[in-house]
């Protein structure tokens, strides 16, 4: 209940390798999962009496299931390339947040129980017993990682470090030692259908309000249809789009684009969540259970096309995993990507000249674009390499006169995480989140100082929530953060052109 | 399980101090939580709390901020129907801090 103390780094415009501060964030811990949430997800409700044996067993099972994990645990040579690539180390200065050191928490236990040399030689080969202290370190530091995979870009062996965090979290869940934020949210998806726990009538009343609000404030008449069986397009978007600011401004943007495209479209009260926190805990069954609602949504609505809203990790799942989890999408029109990102959809219309956009509507802004990690490093858009970098920027440039990119080592696949991804967007971790955002904030400050940037555009619900929260700590206005389709919403001239 | 003591009664709360049993809420308890949050309750603060509770009773979730802002504007006059004013009332965030005082669960998700 005590107020969480926060310490805000001073921005200088460039991020340098910090002097280590041993244990700097060792006391910042996620809340432990609640029994009811753990049980609902199929995990033990509390720490098992034989947790040690079970943890080793689970690790062995995962190694058998995922050959990649075995390779990642074996091949690290501790070269140190990753050490200064993690925003959490750069921001917190805690050496345990160096990716190699974080992974070592798991590797030392792996060596001790599952390698011959570790069983025989123990500490001589950096193998260590699994103790309650280690377990608490796992729970602390594997939840100070956002699974953003920036360090993986720089790893000469290509180790996917997020897979290691996911494995550690999966082991923690298997022994009844989960994290509250993620498990509570997945439980809400199981029972109500979306991360926020918004029942259908609440979504409907909110959509009605937004339609009225758009009409009152802009005069535009748009629709936000829900559960329209037989609509051409089913839009699956994060539930934050129905609830939070600035997320909802992008929802208004999608509605205007669909209207101008002249397509019938709908949301689904059943498939009312694009997000899938199952990925954050690395559990395939949970991830499939969450994704199943999308499959069922398609069966209910029977659309021709499946379009996906602005949500980063969800797009990675949709683009990279949906086909395995809930595919194939044989009932959809094969002439379109399934799923298709809303940015691909809008970009396509812009290229065809089907949208009239008034760039001067965004003349107040000097816009920059934050590549969200799961889109940048875990997915793609369009049919060209790097489309996920090009397409959102092309949309932005079509909606405003002033666009500038942040420093090259902080964008595209080198992008810094917002500091809130991967299941750590929770209040008790606010200090780590603020510090984790520091490298991104420094890049923003630099472009603000040199080019006057004042609008931080992005396509991820978590990034939007994290940055609107973090910006004020650094002395910036939360209104500087907004979606790409928020810019579209402002620039689009309704009735200008119609049809595809 | 964390708890909160107030006037000789024990209230179950979550780790962040949100009441777990929503029907234990009353205005006195709200006032006490507000004190802990260093929020001085004025008529405008109560308007927010009352609206949140009415909305929650109907929809089982707190309203979107825009809906709250509009309702506030209708009750207190258009000059107060904006997000900035709402943050002046509840600096730690209207959704989270005001929900806490209103005895509602914390909205969680990508918010």
């Amino acid at each position: 209940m005590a107020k969480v103390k926060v310490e805000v780094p001073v921005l200088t415009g460039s991020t340098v390798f910090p002097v280590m501060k041993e244990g700097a964030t060792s006391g910042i811990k996620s809340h432990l999962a609640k029994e009811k949430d753990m049980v609902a997800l199929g995990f033990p409700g509390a720490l098992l009496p034989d947790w040690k044996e079970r943890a080793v067993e689970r690790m062995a099972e995962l190694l058998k299931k995922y050959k990649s994990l075995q390779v990642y645990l074996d091949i690290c040579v501790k070269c140190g390339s990753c050490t200064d690539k993690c925003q959490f180390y750069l921001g917190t200065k805690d050496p345990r947040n160096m990716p190699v050191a974080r992974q070592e928490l798991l590797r030392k236990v792996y060596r001790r129980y599952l390698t011959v040399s570790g069983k025989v030689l123990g500490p001589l080969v950096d193998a260590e017993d699994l103790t309650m202290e280690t377990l608490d370190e796992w729970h602390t530091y594997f939840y100070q990682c956002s699974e953003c995979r920036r360090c993986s870009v720089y790893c000469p062996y290509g180790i996917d470090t997020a897979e290691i965090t996911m494995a550690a979290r999966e082991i923690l869940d298997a022994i009844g030692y989960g994290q509250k934020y993620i498990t509570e949210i997945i439980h809400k998806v199981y029972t109500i259908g979306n991360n926020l726990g918004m029942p259908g009538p609440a979504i409907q009343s909110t959509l009605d309000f937004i339609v009225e609000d758009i009409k009152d404030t802009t005069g535009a008449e748009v629709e936000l249809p829900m559960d329209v069986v037989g609509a051409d397009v089913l839009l699956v978007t994060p539930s934050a789009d129905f609830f939070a600011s600035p997320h909802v401004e992008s929802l208004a943007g999608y509605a205007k684009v669909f209207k101008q495209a002249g397509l019938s479209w709908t949301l689904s009260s059943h498939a009312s969540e694009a997000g899938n926190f199952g990925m954050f805990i690395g559990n395939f069954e949970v991830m499939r259970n969450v994704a199943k609602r999308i499959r069922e949504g398609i069966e209910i609505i029977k659309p021709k096309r499946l379009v996906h809203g602005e949500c980063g990790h969800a797009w990675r799942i949709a683009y990279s995993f949906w086909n395995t989890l809930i595919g194939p999408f044989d009932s959809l029109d094969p002439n379109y990507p399934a799923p298709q990102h809303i940015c691909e959809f809008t970009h396509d219309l812009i290229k065809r000249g089907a949208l009239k956009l008034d760039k001067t509507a965004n003349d107040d802004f000097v816009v920059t674009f934050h590549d969200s990690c799961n889109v940048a490093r875990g997915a793609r858009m369009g049919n060209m390499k790097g489309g996920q970098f090009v397409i959102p920027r092309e949309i932005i440039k079509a909606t405003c006169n002033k666009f500038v990119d942040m420093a090259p080592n902080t964008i595209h696949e080198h992008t810094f995480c917002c500091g809130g991804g991967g299941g750590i967007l929770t209040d008790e971790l606010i200090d780590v989140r603020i510090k984790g955002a520091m490298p991104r904030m420094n890049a923003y400050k630099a472009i603000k100082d040199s080019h006057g940037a004042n609008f931080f555009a992005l396509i991820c619900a978590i990034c939007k929530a994290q940055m609107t929260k973090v910006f004020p700590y650094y002395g910036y206005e939360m209104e500087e953060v907004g979606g790409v389709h928020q810019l579209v919403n402002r620039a689009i001239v309704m009735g200008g052109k119609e049809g595809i | 399980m964390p708890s909160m003591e107030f006037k000789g009664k024990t209230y179950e709360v979550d780790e962040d101090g949100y009441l777990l049993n929503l029907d234990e809420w009353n205005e006195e308890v709200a006032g006490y939580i507000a004190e802990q949050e260093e929020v001085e309750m004025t008529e405008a603060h109560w308007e927010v709390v009352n609206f949140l509770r009415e909305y929650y009773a109907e929809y089982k979730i707190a309203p979107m901020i825009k809906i709250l802002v509009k309702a506030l504007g209708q009750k207190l006059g258009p000059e107060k129907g904006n997000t900035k004013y709402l943050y002046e009332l509840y600096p730690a965030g209207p959704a989270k801090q005001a929900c806490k005082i209103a005895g509602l669960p914390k909205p969680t998700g990508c918010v």
Side-chain angles (χ1 to χ4, degrees):
Chain A
M1 259 182 77
K3 280 205 175 134
V4 184
K5 278 193 194 132
V6 297
E7 206 182 73
V8 184
V10 176
L11 297 183
T12 58
S14 70
T15 302
V16 293
F17 193 90
V19 178
M20 284 191 275
K21 230 169 112 184
E22 195 81 44
T25 53
S26 59
I28 302 176
K29 297 171 188 296
S30 296
H31 296 326
L32 279 180
K34 295 281 166 268
E35 185 179 354
K36 63 176 172 37
D37 298 325
M38 290 291 278
V39 170
L41 270 58
F43 302 130
L47 189 62
L48 295 170
D50 59 342
W51 59 268
K52 197 183 288 185
E53 292 74 22
R54 189 62 202 117
V56 175
E57 261 171 43
R58 187 65 186 144
M59 194 187 293
E61 285 165 16
L62 292 177
L63 290 169
K64 215 168 167 189
K65 193 170 172 191
Y66 305 117
K67 293 286 176 217
S68 53
L69 182 63
Q70 174 89 56
V71 173
Y72 297 150
L73 288 177
D74 283 332
I75 61 172
C76 175
V77 294
K78 299 189 181 169
C79 72
S81 292
C82 59
T83 49
D84 61 344
K85 305 305 186 297
C86 174
Q87 55 279 337
F88 294 103
Y89 171 62
L90 294 171
T92 67
K93 304 175 187 169
D94 188 322
R96 282 268 186 266
N97 277 325
M98 291 176 175
V100 61
R102 192 192 321 277
Q103 295 165 52
E104 185 62 16
L105 293 171
L106 194 71
R107 283 203 180 99
K108 66 184 186 184
V109 175
Y110 158 70
R111 287 190 210 104
R112 168 67 184 82
Y113 297 97
L114 297 166
T115 67
V116 175
S117 58
K119 282 181 198 171
V120 177
L121 300 169
L124 292 174
V125 290
D126 290 332
E128 265 182 50
D129 284 351
L130 177 57
T131 61
M132 197 60 216
E133 199 186 347
T134 315
L135 207 61
D136 276 324
E137 275 191 318
W138 285 9
H139 203 276
T140 305
Y141 289 106
F142 285 115
Y143 287 104
Q144 290 187 17
C145 165
S146 61
E147 301 175 349
C148 80
R149 300 157 90 231
R150 184 172 195 265
C151 49
S152 301
V153 171
Y154 299 88
C155 174
Y157 285 87
I159 296 172
D160 186 336
T161 39
E163 293 287 321
I164 295 187
T165 293
M166 287 171 188
R169 292 181 182 183
E170 168 131 46
I171 295 167
L172 287 168
D173 282 332
I175 61 173
Y177 214 56
Q179 185 234 34
K180 184 183 173 191
Y181 173 73
I182 296 174
T183 51
E184 184 181 57
I185 284 174
I186 297 172
H187 190 188
K188 279 194 284 183
V189 177
Y190 280 13
T191 51
I192 305 171
N194 51 66
N195 287 1
L196 268 156
M198 261 180 124
I203 301 177
Q204 186 63 59
S205 113
T206 308
L207 296 178
D208 293 346
F209 173 88
I210 300 166
V211 167
E212 273 299 300
D213 190 57
I214 294 172
K215 196 176 170 193
D216 290 351
T217 52
T218 69
E221 294 200 26
V222 298
E223 289 169 10
L224 289 171
M226 192 162 74
D227 296 333
V228 179
V229 175
D232 290 335
V233 173
L234 169 62
L235 174 74
V236 174
T237 205
S239 59
D241 283 0
F242 312 133
F243 187 85
S245 292
H247 310 60
V248 65
E249 307 299 330
S250 282
L251 181 66
Y254 315 152
K256 288 185 183 174
V257 170
F258 285 127
K259 170 124 184 171
Q260 289 301 93
L263 280 175
S264 66
W265 71 286
T266 189
L267 295 158
S268 158
S269 60
H270 186 79
S272 55
E273 180 60 65
N276 188 335
F277 283 17
M279 188 175 81
F280 297 158
I281 53 171
N283 186 287
F284 185 82
E285 284 71 32
V286 172
M287 200 154 99
R288 190 171 51 193
N289 282 342
V290 172
K292 219 168 69 185
R293 296 187 80 96
I294 310 298
R295 167 96 251 154
E296 292 159 357
I298 294 169
E299 281 159 13
I300 296 166
I301 303 291
K302 300 181 181 63
K304 296 191 184 76
R305 300 168 65 173
L306 181 60
V307 175
H308 191 282
E310 295 180 356
C311 184
H313 83 281
W315 179 241
R316 181 181 180 199
I317 291 164
Y319 182 88
S320 305
F321 306 146
W322 266 0
N323 199 44
T324 309
L325 293 168
I326 53 167
F329 298 109
D330 290 342
S331 65
L332 301 177
D333 185 339
N335 292 313
Y336 299 96
Q340 184 177 33
H341 196 282
I342 187 72
C343 283
E344 295 174 309
F345 184 89
T346 301
H347 183 244
D348 186 46
L349 291 174
I350 293 172
K351 273 201 310 193
R352 291 166 188 230
L355 296 182
K356 190 175 174 189
L357 296 160
D358 173 15
K359 292 185 182 189
T360 63
N362 287 315
D363 268 354
D364 298 349
F365 299 142
V366 178
V367 182
T368 192
F369 181 66
H370 162 71
D371 293 279
S372 295
C373 38
N374 277 299
V375 178
R377 291 185 280 263
R380 186 184 273 191
M381 281 182 207
N383 52 11
M384 73 287 210
K385 191 176 178 213
Q388 73 271 35
F389 310 128
V390 175
I391 288 174
R393 285 175 172 80
E394 289 294 315
I395 297 174
I396 294 172
K397 287 178 198 164
T399 60
C400 72
N401 283 309
K402 289 168 277 184
F403 171 78
V404 282
D405 252 323
M406 289 180 275
N409 63 341
T410 73
I411 58 169
H412 294 188
E413 68 269 31
H414 304 285
T415 189
F416 276 110
C417 168
C418 65
I424 64 168
L425 190 76
T426 181
D427 289 350
E428 69 270 22
L429 298 179
I430 187 67
D431 186 61
V432 167
R433 286 166 49 194
I434 290 169
K435 292 184 170 117
M438 185 269 277
R440 173 42 83 219
M441 295 306 298
N442 260 335
Y444 183 60
K445 177 185 163 54
I447 203 74
K448 192 183 242 319
D449 291 350
S450 62
H451 290 78
N454 64 358
F455 193 87
F456 187 89
L458 64 182
I459 49 170
C460 169
I462 289 178
C463 295
K464 287 172 190 170
Q466 156 78 352
M467 287 320 224
T468 46
K469 181 95 183 173
V470 162
F471 262 45
Y473 283 104
Y474 284 103
Y476 299 141
E477 300 284 331
M478 63 172 75
E479 287 77 13
E480 291 184 33
V481 178
V484 166
H485 278 78
Q486 183 171 340
L487 295 169
V488 175
N489 179 37
R490 290 166 58 100
I492 197 164
V493 181
M494 298 304 286
K497 290 180 178 178
E498 275 193 36
I500 304 178
Chain B
M1 182 61 69
S3 60
M4 175 182 91
E5 300 287 329
F6 176 61
K7 289 203 168 170
K9 191 171 160 159
T10 305
Y11 297 84
E12 272 192 329
V13 294
D14 73 5
E15 297 86 342
D16 302 310
Y18 288 73
L19 283 183
L20 287 184
N21 303 315
L22 308 190
D23 47 4
E24 284 183 345
W25 184 91
N26 58 47
E27 290 193 0
E28 263 198 323
V29 173
Y32 180 68
I33 300 172
E35 233 174 78
Q36 309 295 306
E37 289 285 309
E38 294 167 17
V39 170
E40 201 175 318
M41 297 296 284
T42 65
E43 196 190 329
H45 288 88
W46 285 113
E47 288 290 357
V48 173
V49 163
N50 293 335
F51 183 77
L52 286 177
R53 290 189 62 83
E54 280 165 29
Y55 192 94
Y56 188 89
E58 185 165 357
Y59 294 111
K60 300 287 165 264
I61 185 152
M64 175 172 74
I65 287 196
K66 275 193 145 188
I67 294 180
L68 181 58
V69 163
K70 191 159 189 176
L72 208 58
Q74 282 166 353
K75 296 246 163 121
L76 303 173
E79 72 285 359
K80 300 205 166 150
N82 57 66
T83 312
K84 217 176 174 69
Y85 179 69
L86 204 51
Y87 271 86
E88 277 169 30
L89 296 178
Y90 295 103
K96 293 190 173 177
Q97 197 172 38
C99 279
K100 189 172 179 178
I101 295 167
L104 307 182
K106 177 166 66 173
T108 62
C110 305
V111 295

